[in-house]
Amino acid sequence: GIKIVVDCAHGAAYHIAPHVFHELGAEVVPIGNQPNGFNINDGCGATAPKALAAAVLQHDADVGIALDGDADRLIMVDSKGQIYNGDQLLYVMVKDRIATGQLTAGAGVVGTLMTNMALELRLQHANIGFARAKVGDRYVLEVMQERGWNLGGEGSGHLLCLDKHTTGDGIVSALQVLSGLKRSGQTLAQATEDLVLFPQTLINVKVAAGSNWQDNAALVAEKAAVEAELGQRGRVLIRASGTEPLIRVMVEAQDSTLAQNCARRMAATLA
């Protein structure tokens, strides 16, 4: 009963995803479904969702689904062209499972170090546990298995529903979100209106190879000062890049100006 634009990113699901949603009763407009061996993820799919947003508006669709090349990530778009990331889609899944009694008090959800703090606070409000894993869906899966929890994911769109699948699968994830929306009678905007994501500021600072930011007394002191200033209004994440001589300084806060100022103050200690 709904019209869906499905962006297959010229990847693994190009000949599968459109059929799945069509067989379940949707009117499907497929895009990104003509792979030539070189165009995978090229300006399309979950890593470039603006193409999907434009197509949803062009075709007057109810919703858009973007997968990535290997089809394990999911980003969605509503009828107005608004893009929804993995944190927001995970929240829709959580709300649906709470409403249907599949997720009760004491159960939990796994995110990563990059999961938006707003999601953590909303889960706390619902008395749902939350744990952060290292960045990467393999680490999310490890923590989910350790704790016996069924839901987890990343803002990038890697979403895991272990009661439906053993690993991340964008089609399965999309079906979970869509079924939740159908049950609630809500749009994506309505289902996520109480999840207001905190603005994030990320600054990458070049450092000498092998540098450990924890050895920088000025940065450690500034980090403590920023965390005291933010309190429950935000959080700080400092980590070394795994591939480049960079220290990544991230501040998340309800106020974007505060996030920017705090991130700059900490980054300045590394200059």
Side-chain angles (χ1 to χ4, degrees):
I2 57 176
K3 186 175 184 179
I4 305 175
V5 177
V6 180
D7 185 346
C8 304
H10 301 302
Y14 83 98
H15 195 55
I16 302 170
H19 294 298
V20 170
F21 299 106
H22 173 74
E23 286 296 313
L24 289 170
E27 179 184 350
V28 177
V29 178
I31 64 173
N33 62 331
Q34 297 180 324
N36 61 19
F38 299 95
N39 59 356
I40 188 169
N41 291 325
D42 186 7
C44 58
T47 58
K50 289 184 179 179
L52 174 64
V56 166
L57 294 174
Q58 176 188 346
H59 294 282
D60 194 27
D62 298 297
V63 70
I65 292 168
L67 308 173
D68 64 338
D70 59 354
D72 61 350
R73 285 169 58 173
L74 170 70
I75 298 295
M76 293 181 68
V77 169
D78 69 13
S79 61
K80 296 181 179 179
Q82 179 67 40
I83 297 169
Y84 295 79
N85 70 14
D87 290 346
Q88 294 165 300
L89 300 179
L90 181 58
Y91 183 58
V92 175
M93 292 183 192
V94 169
K95 289 180 71 173
D96 179 55
R97 278 167 166 71
I98 291 174
T100 55
Q102 300 175 66
L103 193 63
T104 56
V109 175
V110 179
T112 74
L113 295 174
M114 296 302 293
T115 297
N116 198 282
M117 188 177 180
L119 177 59
E120 180 178 7
L121 294 177
R122 289 305 306 166
L123 294 177
Q124 287 178 1
H125 181 74
N127 199 26
I128 299 298
F130 179 76
R132 292 185 184 271
K134 290 189 291 185
V135 175
D137 56 331
R138 58 172 289 193
Y139 300 113
V140 173
L141 178 60
E142 286 177 3
V143 176
M144 291 171 68
Q145 291 173 331
E146 287 170 4
R147 296 183 178 236
W149 294 350
N150 285 326
L151 286 182
E154 301 185 276
S156 60
H158 284 124
L159 303 172
L160 295 91
C161 313
L162 297 188
D163 55 346
K164 304 295 180 184
H165 211 290
T166 58
T167 186
D169 183 307
I171 296 174
V172 172
S173 299
L175 293 173
Q176 300 312 295
V177 174
L178 290 173
S179 61
L181 295 177
K182 290 293 284 185
R183 270 190 285 269
S184 67
Q186 294 182 316
T187 63
L188 276 169
Q190 291 168 336
T192 57
E193 64 183 356
D194 57 343
L195 177 68
V196 181
L197 298 181
F198 286 12
Q200 291 181 341
T201 296
L202 175 65
I203 300 177
N204 294 320
V205 184
K206 284 190 175 183
V207 294
S211 293
N212 184 346
W213 69 265
Q214 292 172 318
D215 294 333
N216 185 316
L219 176 55
V220 171
E222 192 60 46
K223 177 176 180 287
V226 166
E227 288 177 330
E229 182 178 344
L230 292 174
Q232 291 298 309
R233 298 179 300 153
R235 69 186 183 99
V236 173
L237 177 64
I238 302 175
R239 63 191 183 104
S241 167
T243 56
E244 303 172 84
L246 296 173
I247 298 295
R248 306 190 191 281
V249 178
M250 190 275 283
V251 176
E252 198 171 67
Q254 287 174 305
D255 179 80
S256 60
T257 301
L258 177 62
Q260 292 168 13
N261 290 340
C262 288
R264 290 184 187 125
R265 279 163 43 195
M266 289 187 292
T269 66
L270 291 166

mmCIF file of all heavy atoms in Angstrom, residues 71-103:
data_model
loop_
_atom_site.group_PDB
_atom_site.id
_atom_site.type_symbol
_atom_site.label_atom_id
_atom_site.label_comp_id
_atom_site.label_asym_id
_atom_site.label_seq_id
_atom_site.Cartn_x
_atom_site.Cartn_y
_atom_site.Cartn_z
ATOM 1 N N ALA A 71 25.043 -4.254 0.611
ATOM 2 C CA ALA A 71 23.645 -4.355 1.066
ATOM 3 C C ALA A 71 23.477 -4.652 2.546
ATOM 4 O O ALA A 71 22.431 -5.146 2.950
ATOM 5 C CB ALA A 71 22.892 -5.402 0.234
ATOM 6 N N ASP A 72 24.472 -4.314 3.369
ATOM 7 C CA ASP A 72 24.258 -4.511 4.812
ATOM 8 C C ASP A 72 23.905 -3.213 5.520
ATOM 9 O O ASP A 72 23.485 -3.235 6.674
ATOM 10 C CB ASP A 72 25.473 -5.170 5.473
ATOM 11 C CG ASP A 72 26.757 -4.355 5.363
ATOM 12 O OD1 ASP A 72 26.765 -3.354 4.612
ATOM 13 O OD2 ASP A 72 27.757 -4.734 6.004
ATOM 14 N N ARG A 73 24.054 -2.074 4.842
ATOM 15 C CA ARG A 73 23.716 -0.795 5.461
ATOM 16 C C ARG A 73 22.388 -0.271 4.935
ATOM 17 O O ARG A 73 21.994 -0.540 3.810
ATOM 18 C CB ARG A 73 24.820 0.231 5.189
ATOM 19 C CG ARG A 73 26.053 0.001 6.024
ATOM 20 C CD ARG A 73 27.229 0.829 5.566
ATOM 21 N NE ARG A 73 26.969 2.265 5.577
ATOM 22 C CZ ARG A 73 27.899 3.174 5.336
ATOM 23 N NH1 ARG A 73 29.142 2.812 5.074
ATOM 24 N NH2 ARG A 73 27.597 4.467 5.369
ATOM 25 N N LEU A 74 21.718 0.513 5.779
ATOM 26 C CA LEU A 74 20.410 1.076 5.433
ATOM 27 C C LEU A 74 20.329 2.537 5.850
ATOM 28 O O LEU A 74 20.596 2.878 6.995
ATOM 29 C CB LEU A 74 19.293 0.296 6.147
ATOM 30 C CG LEU A 74 17.887 0.918 6.078
ATOM 31 C CD1 LEU A 74 17.338 0.813 4.657
ATOM 32 C CD2 LEU A 74 16.948 0.250 7.068
ATOM 33 N N ILE A 75 19.961 3.374 4.914
ATOM 34 C CA ILE A 75 19.592 4.765 5.180
ATOM 35 C C ILE A 75 18.223 4.961 4.532
ATOM 36 O O ILE A 75 17.950 4.421 3.456
ATOM 37 C CB ILE A 75 20.616 5.754 4.572
ATOM 38 C CG1 ILE A 75 22.000 5.554 5.195
ATOM 39 C CG2 ILE A 75 20.139 7.195 4.761
ATOM 40 C CD1 ILE A 75 22.099 5.880 6.672
ATOM 41 N N MET A 76 17.339 5.719 5.174
ATOM 42 C CA MET A 76 16.000 5.916 4.629
ATOM 43 C C MET A 76 15.667 7.389 4.454
ATOM 44 O O MET A 76 16.295 8.254 5.072
ATOM 45 C CB MET A 76 14.964 5.205 5.506
ATOM 46 C CG MET A 76 15.103 3.686 5.460
ATOM 47 S SD MET A 76 13.873 2.777 6.459
ATOM 48 C CE MET A 76 12.373 3.128 5.560
ATOM 49 N N VAL A 77 14.662 7.645 3.638
ATOM 50 C CA VAL A 77 14.224 9.007 3.321
ATOM 51 C C VAL A 77 12.697 9.037 3.420
ATOM 52 O O VAL A 77 12.030 8.087 3.009
ATOM 53 C CB VAL A 77 14.670 9.392 1.890
ATOM 54 C CG1 VAL A 77 14.013 10.690 1.441
ATOM 55 C CG2 VAL A 77 16.184 9.507 1.814
ATOM 56 N N ASP A 78 12.156 10.111 3.971
ATOM 57 C CA ASP A 78 10.699 10.213 4.046
ATOM 58 C C ASP A 78 10.145 10.935 2.816
ATOM 59 O O ASP A 78 10.897 11.322 1.909
ATOM 60 C CB ASP A 78 10.240 10.863 5.353
ATOM 61 C CG ASP A 78 10.593 12.349 5.462
ATOM 62 O OD1 ASP A 78 10.980 12.970 4.453
ATOM 63 O OD2 ASP A 78 10.479 12.898 6.585
ATOM 64 N N SER A 79 8.830 11.110 2.779
ATOM 65 C CA SER A 79 8.168 11.656 1.598
ATOM 66 C C SER A 79 8.575 13.097 1.298
ATOM 67 O O SER A 79 8.383 13.582 0.179
ATOM 68 C CB SER A 79 6.650 11.587 1.772
ATOM 69 O OG SER A 79 6.235 12.356 2.900
ATOM 70 N N LYS A 80 9.152 13.773 2.284
ATOM 71 C CA LYS A 80 9.579 15.158 2.088
ATOM 72 C C LYS A 80 11.051 15.271 1.722
ATOM 73 O O LYS A 80 11.599 16.371 1.631
ATOM 74 C CB LYS A 80 9.287 15.977 3.348
ATOM 75 C CG LYS A 80 7.798 16.076 3.661
ATOM 76 C CD LYS A 80 7.534 16.916 4.894
ATOM 77 C CE LYS A 80 6.037 17.020 5.182
ATOM 78 N NZ LYS A 80 5.747 17.821 6.391
ATOM 79 N N GLY A 81 11.716 14.115 1.569
ATOM 80 C CA GLY A 81 13.122 14.118 1.201
ATOM 81 C C GLY A 81 14.075 14.208 2.378
ATOM 82 O O GLY A 81 15.287 14.366 2.193
ATOM 83 N N GLN A 82 13.546 14.103 3.603
ATOM 84 C CA GLN A 82 14.387 14.147 4.806
ATOM 85 C C GLN A 82 15.114 12.813 4.963
ATOM 86 O O GLN A 82 14.508 11.750 4.864
ATOM 87 C CB GLN A 82 13.530 14.416 6.038
ATOM 88 C CG GLN A 82 14.283 14.462 7.351
ATOM 89 C CD GLN A 82 15.219 15.652 7.443
ATOM 90 O OE1 GLN A 82 14.876 16.750 7.020
ATOM 91 N NE2 GLN A 82 16.392 15.437 7.998
ATOM 92 N N ILE A 83 16.417 12.877 5.237
ATOM 93 C CA ILE A 83 17.246 11.674 5.364
ATOM 94 C C ILE A 83 17.308 11.233 6.821
ATOM 95 O O ILE A 83 17.476 12.060 7.719
ATOM 96 C CB ILE A 83 18.661 11.942 4.818
ATOM 97 C CG1 ILE A 83 18.593 12.262 3.315
ATOM 98 C CG2 ILE A 83 19.582 10.747 5.061
ATOM 99 C CD1 ILE A 83 19.889 12.793 2.732
ATOM 100 N N TYR A 84 17.216 9.919 7.045
ATOM 101 C CA TYR A 84 17.254 9.338 8.397
ATOM 102 C C TYR A 84 18.408 8.359 8.482
ATOM 103 O O TYR A 84 18.502 7.421 7.685
ATOM 104 C CB TYR A 84 15.926 8.638 8.715
ATOM 105 C CG TYR A 84 14.764 9.599 8.775
ATOM 106 C CD1 TYR A 84 14.172 10.068 7.610
ATOM 107 C CD2 TYR A 84 14.295 10.075 9.995
ATOM 108 C CE1 TYR A 84 13.131 10.985 7.653
ATOM 109 C CE2 TYR A 84 13.249 10.989 10.051
ATOM 110 C CZ TYR A 84 12.675 11.444 8.877
ATOM 111 O OH TYR A 84 11.652 12.355 8.924
ATOM 112 N N ASN A 85 19.277 8.572 9.491
ATOM 113 C CA ASN A 85 20.463 7.728 9.612
ATOM 114 C C ASN A 85 20.192 6.493 10.474
ATOM 115 O O ASN A 85 19.088 6.252 10.951
ATOM 116 C CB ASN A 85 21.656 8.537 10.145
ATOM 117 C CG ASN A 85 21.499 8.940 11.608
ATOM 118 O OD1 ASN A 85 20.641 8.438 12.335
ATOM 119 N ND2 ASN A 85 22.343 9.851 12.058
ATOM 120 N N GLY A 86 21.243 5.719 10.697
ATOM 121 C CA GLY A 86 21.094 4.475 11.429
ATOM 122 C C GLY A 86 20.623 4.639 12.855
ATOM 123 O O GLY A 86 19.851 3.801 13.357
ATOM 124 N N ASP A 87 21.048 5.688 13.544
ATOM 125 C CA ASP A 87 20.597 5.927 14.916
ATOM 126 C C ASP A 87 19.091 6.125 14.961
ATOM 127 O O ASP A 87 18.397 5.600 15.838
ATOM 128 C CB ASP A 87 21.295 7.158 15.511
ATOM 129 C CG ASP A 87 22.772 6.932 15.793
ATOM 130 O OD1 ASP A 87 23.210 5.774 15.786
ATOM 131 O OD2 ASP A 87 23.484 7.929 16.024
ATOM 132 N N GLN A 88 18.587 6.901 14.015
ATOM 133 C CA GLN A 88 17.151 7.183 13.983
ATOM 134 C C GLN A 88 16.341 5.936 13.610
ATOM 135 O O GLN A 88 15.291 5.664 14.191
ATOM 136 C CB GLN A 88 16.867 8.319 12.992
ATOM 137 C CG GLN A 88 17.452 9.652 13.428
ATOM 138 C CD GLN A 88 17.488 10.665 12.298
ATOM 139 O OE1 GLN A 88 18.129 10.438 11.270
ATOM 140 N NE2 GLN A 88 16.780 11.771 12.466
ATOM 141 N N LEU A 89 16.852 5.163 12.673
ATOM 142 C CA LEU A 89 16.141 3.954 12.253
ATOM 143 C C LEU A 89 16.166 2.896 13.349
ATOM 144 O O LEU A 89 15.176 2.176 13.551
ATOM 145 C CB LEU A 89 16.753 3.414 10.963
ATOM 146 C CG LEU A 89 16.715 4.377 9.771
ATOM 147 C CD1 LEU A 89 17.378 3.745 8.554
ATOM 148 C CD2 LEU A 89 15.294 4.806 9.452
ATOM 149 N N LEU A 90 17.272 2.820 14.061
ATOM 150 C CA LEU A 90 17.349 1.894 15.193
ATOM 151 C C LEU A 90 16.310 2.271 16.251
ATOM 152 O O LEU A 90 15.668 1.403 16.853
ATOM 153 C CB LEU A 90 18.762 1.932 15.791
ATOM 154 C CG LEU A 90 19.039 1.007 16.979
ATOM 155 C CD1 LEU A 90 18.773 -0.450 16.637
ATOM 156 C CD2 LEU A 90 20.479 1.188 17.448
ATOM 157 N N TYR A 91 16.111 3.563 16.443
ATOM 158 C CA TYR A 91 15.123 4.029 17.418
ATOM 159 C C TYR A 91 13.703 3.622 17.010
ATOM 160 O O TYR A 91 12.893 3.242 17.858
ATOM 161 C CB TYR A 91 15.221 5.548 17.556
ATOM 162 C CG TYR A 91 14.299 6.137 18.602
ATOM 163 C CD1 TYR A 91 14.378 5.730 19.926
ATOM 164 C CD2 TYR A 91 13.354 7.105 18.256
ATOM 165 C CE1 TYR A 91 13.529 6.277 20.888
ATOM 166 C CE2 TYR A 91 12.523 7.663 19.215
ATOM 167 C CZ TYR A 91 12.609 7.241 20.531
ATOM 168 O OH TYR A 91 11.771 7.777 21.479
ATOM 169 N N VAL A 92 13.416 3.679 15.709
ATOM 170 C CA VAL A 92 12.097 3.252 15.230
ATOM 171 C C VAL A 92 11.890 1.768 15.539
ATOM 172 O O VAL A 92 10.814 1.347 15.979
ATOM 173 C CB VAL A 92 11.941 3.516 13.718
ATOM 174 C CG1 VAL A 92 10.609 2.965 13.216
ATOM 175 C CG2 VAL A 92 12.026 5.008 13.426
ATOM 176 N N MET A 93 12.924 0.962 15.328
ATOM 177 C CA MET A 93 12.844 -0.470 15.648
ATOM 178 C C MET A 93 12.593 -0.685 17.138
ATOM 179 O O MET A 93 11.780 -1.527 17.530
ATOM 180 C CB MET A 93 14.139 -1.172 15.247
ATOM 181 C CG MET A 93 14.414 -1.256 13.780
ATOM 182 S SD MET A 93 15.936 -2.210 13.533
ATOM 183 C CE MET A 93 16.251 -1.887 11.806
ATOM 184 N N VAL A 94 13.325 0.064 17.955
ATOM 185 C CA VAL A 94 13.183 -0.069 19.410
ATOM 186 C C VAL A 94 11.751 0.258 19.835
ATOM 187 O O VAL A 94 11.134 -0.487 20.608
ATOM 188 C CB VAL A 94 14.187 0.847 20.140
ATOM 189 C CG1 VAL A 94 13.858 0.926 21.624
ATOM 190 C CG2 VAL A 94 15.607 0.355 19.939
ATOM 191 N N LYS A 95 11.227 1.376 19.342
ATOM 192 C CA LYS A 95 9.859 1.777 19.717
ATOM 193 C C LYS A 95 8.834 0.721 19.306
ATOM 194 O O LYS A 95 7.889 0.431 20.055
ATOM 195 C CB LYS A 95 9.520 3.130 19.079
ATOM 196 C CG LYS A 95 10.262 4.302 19.686
ATOM 197 C CD LYS A 95 9.893 5.614 19.039
ATOM 198 C CE LYS A 95 8.496 6.073 19.383
ATOM 199 N NZ LYS A 95 8.206 7.431 18.875
ATOM 200 N N ASP A 96 9.028 0.130 18.144
ATOM 201 C CA ASP A 96 8.088 -0.888 17.696
ATOM 202 C C ASP A 96 8.158 -2.129 18.584
ATOM 203 O O ASP A 96 7.129 -2.708 18.942
ATOM 204 C CB ASP A 96 8.384 -1.272 16.248
ATOM 205 C CG ASP A 96 7.448 -2.344 15.728
ATOM 206 O OD1 ASP A 96 6.214 -2.138 15.800
ATOM 207 O OD2 ASP A 96 7.931 -3.394 15.262
ATOM 208 N N ARG A 97 9.356 -2.512 18.966
ATOM 209 C CA ARG A 97 9.501 -3.698 19.816
ATOM 210 C C ARG A 97 8.983 -3.442 21.235
ATOM 211 O O ARG A 97 8.475 -4.354 21.890
ATOM 212 C CB ARG A 97 10.951 -4.161 19.830
ATOM 213 C CG ARG A 97 11.302 -5.019 18.609
ATOM 214 C CD ARG A 97 12.812 -5.205 18.481
ATOM 215 N NE ARG A 97 13.149 -6.254 17.543
ATOM 216 C CZ ARG A 97 13.000 -6.187 16.220
ATOM 217 N NH1 ARG A 97 12.495 -5.084 15.694
ATOM 218 N NH2 ARG A 97 13.340 -7.186 15.432
ATOM 219 N N ILE A 98 9.099 -2.216 21.703
ATOM 220 C CA ILE A 98 8.509 -1.876 22.999
ATOM 221 C C ILE A 98 6.981 -1.975 22.895
ATOM 222 O O ILE A 98 6.322 -2.561 23.754
ATOM 223 C CB ILE A 98 8.923 -0.463 23.444
ATOM 224 C CG1 ILE A 98 10.422 -0.426 23.786
ATOM 225 C CG2 ILE A 98 8.100 -0.023 24.654
ATOM 226 C CD1 ILE A 98 10.945 0.969 24.091
ATOM 227 N N ALA A 99 6.427 -1.422 21.825
ATOM 228 C CA ALA A 99 4.971 -1.400 21.649
ATOM 229 C C ALA A 99 4.388 -2.798 21.502
ATOM 230 O O ALA A 99 3.257 -3.054 21.916
ATOM 231 C CB ALA A 99 4.609 -0.550 20.431
ATOM 232 N N THR A 100 5.169 -3.710 20.923
ATOM 233 C CA THR A 100 4.669 -5.069 20.695
ATOM 234 C C THR A 100 5.110 -6.044 21.781
ATOM 235 O O THR A 100 4.876 -7.247 21.662
ATOM 236 C CB THR A 100 5.147 -5.587 19.321
ATOM 237 O OG1 THR A 100 6.583 -5.501 19.249
ATOM 238 C CG2 THR A 100 4.535 -4.767 18.193
ATOM 239 N N GLY A 101 5.759 -5.517 22.828
ATOM 240 C CA GLY A 101 6.149 -6.361 23.941
ATOM 241 C C GLY A 101 7.373 -7.228 23.697
ATOM 242 O O GLY A 101 7.694 -8.112 24.493
ATOM 243 N N GLN A 102 8.087 -6.959 22.600
ATOM 244 C CA GLN A 102 9.284 -7.743 22.302
ATOM 245 C C GLN A 102 10.526 -7.207 23.000
ATOM 246 O O GLN A 102 11.551 -7.883 23.056
ATOM 247 C CB GLN A 102 9.524 -7.757 20.791
ATOM 248 C CG GLN A 102 8.401 -8.356 19.978
ATOM 249 C CD GLN A 102 8.665 -8.217 18.490
ATOM 250 O OE1 GLN A 102 9.597 -8.802 17.945
ATOM 251 N NE2 GLN A 102 7.838 -7.423 17.821
ATOM 252 N N LEU A 103 10.434 -5.986 23.488
ATOM 253 C CA LEU A 103 11.565 -5.369 24.172
ATOM 254 C C LEU A 103 11.041 -4.802 25.488
ATOM 255 O O LEU A 103 10.301 -3.828 25.507
ATOM 256 C CB LEU A 103 12.171 -4.252 23.314
ATOM 257 C CG LEU A 103 13.536 -3.713 23.742
ATOM 258 C CD1 LEU A 103 14.590 -4.806 23.656
ATOM 259 C CD2 LEU A 103 13.947 -2.540 22.863
#
